[in-house]
Amino acid sequence: MRIVDLIQKKKQGEELTWDEINYIVQGYTKGEIPDYQISAFLMAVYFKGMSKEETANLTLAFVNSGDVVDLSAIDGIKVDKHSTGGVGDKISLIVIPLVASVGVPVAKMSGRGLGHTGGTIDKLESIEGFKTTLDRNEFISNVNTYKMAIVGQSANLTPADKKIYALRDVTATVDSIPLIASSVMSKKIASGADAIVLDVKVGSGAFMKSLDEARELAETMVAIGKSLNRKTIAVITNMSQPLGHEVGNANEVKEAIDVLSNKGSADETAVALTVASYMAVLGGAFADYDSAYSALKQKITSGQALNNLKELIKIQGGNPDIVDNPDMLPQAEYHIEVKSPNEGYVQSINAENIGISAMLLGAGRKTKEDSIDFSAGITMLKKVGDQVNKDDTLCVLHTNLQEHDAAERVALKAFAINESKPQTVIEETVLAVIS
Ligand code: URA
């Protein structure tokens, strides 16, 4: 086989076989095929797409390139969830203790934040002492005993995807549906779950800017999951503005505590309950969505889900007292109010700019090597559709950095304020379900 012939084949829109796709992925991972040829191949995929079968084969080739986690020692159907990434997305922090509270085992592997999006592992590390690495036996034993455990992804999970993702980032080939779908699904499948709920974000803070694109991505990922024998459901949720009111690390943990205390914002609570309900159904605890939803809601109102969060923190070495006293979480020194320059209505909030501003305040990393400040972040006081007066506070920036002008400018730029009421406020948080 010659890589140049396979690039040519894809350029002409023909379908590649399993052997051909595997040859490309293995050759690149081992360093036998150079970046420039894989770049050309990725661009051909970008323009010509891939069939469902090719996309499933690409996913499997990524899975086979590294470790595959064996969770067979855990009893029951292991469910996982994945978000395609957003700003203020703290859903994993909420659903792990919530789903575990109905007896469904959640063996979660999560990532760190990069650029304008946050990562669950960073958020949990804002809790002093919380261990995000557990050895295999402890991880399995915690899931069997407590129905929940969370760790950072192992370094050798889907190395082919890591290498190709880095190349996509610098060759303008990230926003390709088969490439995103195979990248996401390979990590979920290599992590060993039996069932997967995908939270596909749509809007200004997400990769997918329109509902049609989000639907296509969701359908592609569900088809991959099913073809590789994983029960898979995707929910498409609104990311046209940051989710909830907090963006950062420690302050997102606080907001997750609020949701589990039945004091959460409507959008955050709706997405969390929807994702958790589908996880509980796929995990076999309930026959249908409605019964799962009402049981999970009851776990919140009864305080059992919140107790489970305390237990998760305790078994992973953190101080569970932060749940009753969230002010024990890291606090920033400076709190800067970003004021409205005029009166009117909030037409839109560019979630990506809010994410970038949070990163500039210290909450995120520009490069993988950067360290982060757990106390830095943004509290959103105004959301789309809200009426504002001149000088009303739109959001509050939290930071330990004395120099925060750039973050302030980017946060202000995120808000569009007009005299008239916005015509198209997307009220719903859950826009579609694909199964
Ligand atoms: N997240 C991933 O893991 N991969 C992509 O390609 C895009 C988002």
Side-chain angles (χ1 to χ4, degrees):
M1 244 181 265
R2 288 192 330 149
I3 179 71
V4 66
D5 298 330
L6 304 181
I7 299 169
Q8 176 75 358
K9 193 170 171 186
K10 186 73 313 206
K11 192 180 84 180
Q12 287 166 342
E14 289 173 41
E15 201 168 334
L16 299 175
T17 64
W18 157 253
D19 285 343
E20 289 167 339
I21 289 175
N22 198 35
Y23 168 82
I24 295 169
V25 171
Q26 282 206 18
Y28 187 53
T29 316
K30 289 185 196 150
E32 291 162 7
I33 301 175
D35 284 355
Y36 55 82
Q37 285 183 307
I38 298 298
S39 303
F41 169 73
L42 293 170
M43 196 54 87
V45 171
Y46 180 89
F47 282 110
K48 294 295 179 180
M50 278 187 149
S51 68
K52 285 207 159 52
E53 198 174 344
E54 282 178 296
T55 312
N57 284 338
L58 183 61
T59 308
L60 197 57
F62 286 160
V63 172
N64 292 346
S65 71
D67 297 343
V68 176
V69 181
D70 178 6
L71 297 180
S72 58
I74 298 173
D75 309 322
I77 302 170
K78 280 76 69 185
V79 288
D80 197 353
K81 59 88 59 175
H82 181 83
S83 154
T84 56
V87 176
D89 181 358
K90 59 220 52 102
I91 297 300
S92 290
L93 300 177
I94 304 164
V95 301
I96 296 168
L98 183 54
V99 174
S101 73
V102 292
V104 172
V106 188
K108 186 91 188 77
M109 273 161 229
S110 288
R112 293 186 183 278
L114 188 63
H116 78 279
T117 60
T120 304
I121 291 297
D122 294 326
K123 292 170 198 180
L124 284 168
E125 285 181 354
S126 69
I127 302 169
E128 202 187 334
F130 195 101
K131 283 190 295 176
T132 54
T133 45
L134 299 176
D135 73 32
R136 191 186 133 73
N137 289 342
E138 195 177 4
F139 181 71
I140 287 176
S141 148
N142 284 1
V143 183
N144 274 332
T145 312
Y146 304 101
K147 301 292 171 205
M148 56 188 171
I150 176 162
V151 287
Q153 267 159 19
S154 91
N156 196 35
L157 205 76
T158 61
D161 170 61
K162 271 196 199 101
K163 207 170 164 190
I164 288 185
Y165 191 85
L167 194 59
R168 285 167 58 206
D169 216 14
V170 292
T171 54
T173 50
V174 168
D175 52 341
S176 148
I177 285 178
L179 296 179
I180 296 175
S182 52
S183 165
V184 168
M185 291 304 287
S186 64
K187 289 185 279 262
K188 292 291 104 181
I189 285 161
S191 300
D194 304 310
I196 302 156
V197 176
L198 300 160
D199 180 4
V200 178
K201 303 287 187 195
V202 59
S204 67
F207 280 114
M208 300 291 117
K209 307 289 181 207
S210 76
L211 187 54
D212 282 349
E213 283 175 310
R215 196 182 288 276
E216 195 184 333
L217 176 62
E219 285 170 357
T220 307
M221 292 196 290
V222 169
I224 295 173
K226 288 189 175 160
S227 75
L228 298 175
N229 295 322
R230 301 304 195 281
K231 299 184 194 183
T232 312
I233 287 182
V235 294
I236 301 180
T237 65
N238 193 347
M239 187 41 74
S240 59
Q241 58 177 330
L243 193 57
H245 290 280
E246 301 291 347
V247 178
N249 292 287
N251 55 338
E252 289 199 31
V253 172
K254 264 192 218 167
E255 195 169 24
I257 294 169
D258 283 346
V259 174
L260 289 169
S261 311
N262 206 21
K263 292 185 293 199
S265 63
D267 58 349
E268 195 84 57
T269 307
V271 177
L273 273 170
T274 304
V275 169
S277 301
Y278 284 113
M279 288 172 79
V281 170
L282 291 189
F286 299 93
D288 57 66
Y289 173 85
D290 289 343
S291 43
Y293 188 97
S294 55
L296 288 162
K297 195 151 178 30
Q298 206 270 332
K299 294 289 179 193
I300 293 180
T301 47
S302 70
Q304 207 174 326
L306 190 68
N307 279 340
N308 245 21
L309 175 65
K310 283 186 198 163
E311 187 156 67
L312 175 69
I313 294 172
K314 191 165 152 215
I315 57 184
Q316 297 212 197
N319 182 354
D321 293 346
I322 63 108
V323 174
D324 294 323
N325 302 295
D327 289 345
M328 289 168 69
L329 287 161
Q331 306 278 335
E333 190 175 345
Y334 304 108
H335 305 277
I336 306 114
E337 297 187 0
V338 176
K339 309 265 190 184
S340 178
N342 47 290
E343 69 170 45
Y345 291 87
V346 180
Q347 298 288 317
S348 61
I349 303 174
N350 184 303
E352 185 171 351
N353 278 347
I354 293 294
I356 292 170
S357 175
M359 182 185 74
L360 294 173
L361 295 166
R365 302 180 180 81
K366 287 187 210 77
T367 70
K368 274 191 194 156
E369 288 68 37
D370 283 352
S371 59
I372 58 175
D373 175 355
F374 295 121
S375 68
I378 301 181
T379 302
M380 306 294 297
L381 297 184
K382 299 290 179 195
K383 302 271 298 213
V384 175
D386 285 352
Q387 192 172 11
V388 292
N389 293 317
K390 185 173 180 323
D391 290 333
D392 274 357
T393 305
L394 300 170
C395 62
V396 183
L397 314 184
H398 313 287
T399 188
N400 287 309
L401 299 173
Q402 270 179 323
E403 174 49 60
H404 37 66
D405 290 358
E408 216 173 322
R409 270 196 307 277
V410 178
L412 182 59
K413 209 172 84 183
F415 286 84
I417 298 177
N418 282 351
E419 277 172 18
S420 55
K421 240 185 148 140
Q423 299 201 325
T424 53
V425 183
I426 308 171
E427 300 279 2
E428 306 96 293
T429 23
V430 179
L431 301 167
V433 178
I434 313 288
S435 60

